[in-house]
Each structure stands twice: as C-alpha cells, then as structure tokens.
Amino acid sequence: MPEREEPVRIVAYPNGPLLVRGPVEIVGPDGAPLPRRRRTVALCRCGKSTIKPYCDGTHKVIGFVTEPEEPAED
Ligand code: FES
C-alpha cells in the first residue's frame, strides 16, 4: 500500500518569509531543480535576500513589515 504524502503547507510568516513544508520541488526559471537541503524552506518575500529565492534573514535587518491580514468576509 503506498504511503500517503503529507500535504504541502505554505505559511506566510508575519514580517518574514513564506515557510514551505512538505513534498514540493522548487525550480528556477529554466525548470532545473534548485538545491534544497531542508524539509522546510523559507522563501524570501522582502526581495532583499542575497540567496533568492531563499530567505537569508535580511528581512530582519531592513525591518520588513507585512500588511496585517484583513478579516475574512462571511
Ligand atoms: S524574507 Fe527573509 S530575506 Fe527576504
């Protein structure tokens, strides 16, 4: 019986990166897989990382702030 894969989960970390957990392949513009050393990866969304697409922590240095989430509509 095949094992069930865990679902991919992306967490928009407040004032920081997108944390990606689960079996997902990250590729470059040419379609070639990018190196991934950890099960959970942090993708930069401040635009200032020196190791894009991954987060290198620069968001803290520059004071990157995300917008507060809007309440869900009923
Ligand atoms: S989100 Fe961490 S360096 Fe951009």
Side-chain angles (χ1 to χ4, degrees):
M1 178 182 280
E3 287 185 35
R4 280 183 58 184
E5 286 190 9
E6 65 178 289
V8 174
R9 178 165 286 206
I10 301 174
V11 178
Y13 199 79
N15 305 326
L18 299 173
L19 298 182
V20 181
R21 295 186 176 100
V24 63
E25 184 177 46
I26 299 173
V27 300
D30 60 356
L34 297 177
R36 179 177 172 178
R37 296 178 187 86
R38 297 183 179 175
R39 189 163 180 76
T40 299
V41 295
L43 297 178
C44 175
R45 66 175 166 158
C46 76
K48 299 297 184 186
S49 174
T50 59
I51 57 169
K52 292 183 195 90
Y54 302 115
C55 168
D56 67 357
T58 300
H59 62 271
K60 292 179 187 170
V61 176
I62 65 169
F64 176 67
V65 177
T66 53
E67 297 293 322
E69 286 191 32
E70 304 222 355
E73 294 181 23
D74 290 330

